[in-house]
Amino acid sequence: MRKSAVVLFFVLCAVSLCNGQASYVYSQPDELNDGWKTADMRSMDVDTTRIYQLFTQLRQGEHKLHSALFIKSGEVIIEEYFNAYDVGKQQDLRSVTKSIRALLLGIAIDKGFIDSVDDPISKYLKDPVPKKNLDPRKNEITIKHLITMSAGWDCNDWDKKSAGQEDRVYRKKDWVQYTLDLPMINDPGSISNYCSMGVLLLAEIISRASGMSIDTFAEKFLFQPLGIENIGWGHTSKKEVISSGKRLYMLPRDMAKIGQLILNNGMWKDMQIVSGTWIETATTPKTKITGMDYGYLWWNIPFKANGKAIVSTTATGNGGQYIMVFPEWNMVAVFTGGAYNSQEDKLPFAIMNDVFLPTFIDNN
């Protein structure tokens, strides 16, 4: 999250909306027997002018959005697709997968596979063991350090010179061994740097503790209860990738179920899938990364609309993949896109700040 880029997109979006012609035709999202109810935005007591202007502009102009969904009070009220994407086409979630793995960790703890986030990772990763850059501080690394990006390794995805930068690791043969062998540059828990390899180790820990591959664990304890069937696991690497290294491919509607699960403190319909205690803990800030509040693989991202400061619980992924949860307003938004490694992936923040939030939050 580069604040200047976000502000830039707010400005660009605001300007473009002023110039748009309201030719967009809204229709209530379809009910697809997938667990979602839908509602007609036109029946709500809101001024929808900005919505019509936004989607007119998006239909007429070039951009890299793939989808935009908005859920209010548990009902899908906006669902739009772009650039050859539709309701049935999976999206590569990229790092949104990390936030979902935080839920899997909560389930693993709830079910007794893992005792505590304060357990050292060596309790579950008995093999392999570090062979290079041996340092007594490696014995102090806990699961909590993995999920707060503070293990202390030289691992920073946003620094191309970092030994643990993800693209460097992807060229290695054994990602687990290579990560464990990274040099220590900080004491565990002292500094947080965005490190995908730590989350790979988290997935491997869940897998070994439960005796299931991470995809089997996720399907049994998270996706089946949510009624999510159209999923895939993959990676852009051309090498053979272990299950714990793969990321999710999902439908935007199913991404929204993850957001609703967060909103409802771990419940979907009448099922408690993840404990409410874990949801509260995981989404409460524990550290900061580039100045932004970060919990257990979930961001807290601030917005401001109608003079109100609003904080979202957000999962983010390269290219414009977002699950944004607004508990105070009973709202969830999902965006997907193809703006990989580009500041254009911040467009959804402008849409939220300048269009969705001003339209749907209480003006009083």
Side-chain angles (χ1 to χ4, degrees), residues 4 26 53 60 88 95 116 154 170 175 182 234 278-279 325 340:
S4 60
Y26 169 83
Q53 290 176 334
Q60 294 176 351
S95 286
S116 169
D154 181 7
Y170 295 154
W175 296 355
L182 287 171
W278 178 257
I279 296 296
V325 183
Y340 300 109

Side-chain angles (χ1 to χ4, degrees), residues 28-40:
Q28 178 177 338
D30 295 331
E31 295 201 2
L32 302 175
N33 195 31
D34 60 356
W36 280 115
K37 293 182 179 180
T38 71
D40 195 319

Side-chain angles (χ1 to χ4, degrees), residues 25 82 122 130 203 271 288 297 303 337:
V25 178
F82 313 94
S122 57
M271 294 180 290
K288 287 182 181 290
L297 306 178
F303 292 84

Side-chain angles (χ1 to χ4, degrees), residues 148-151 186 189-194 287-290 294:
T148 56
M149 306 283 190
S150 61
N186 297 302
S190 62
I191 295 176
S192 294
N193 289 310
Y194 198 81
T287 187
K288 287 182 181 290
I289 300 179
T290 61
Y294 198 67

Side-chain angles (χ1 to χ4, degrees), residues 15 23 39 99 103 118 145 154 163 259 264 285-286 318 364:
V15 170
S23 59
S99 301
L103 300 181
D118 295 318
H145 295 140
D154 181 7
N264 292 339
K286 302 295 188 299
N318 186 8
N364 298 321

Side-chain angles (χ1 to χ4, degrees), residues 216-263:
T216 299
F217 184 93
E219 181 177 359
K220 180 175 181 178
F221 294 117
L222 182 62
F223 297 142
Q224 286 184 358
L226 287 173
I228 296 175
E229 299 178 350
N230 190 348
I231 56 174
W233 295 83
H235 203 280
T236 49
S237 173
K238 296 180 180 180
K239 296 178 180 290
E240 184 176 350
V241 178
I242 61 173
S243 295
S244 296
K246 294 179 180 179
R247 54 182 180 250
L248 277 162
Y249 292 70
M250 292 176 65
L251 303 180
R253 277 192 171 216
D254 291 336
M255 294 170 65
K257 289 183 179 180
I258 300 297
Q260 197 69 25
L261 193 67
I262 294 291
L263 186 67

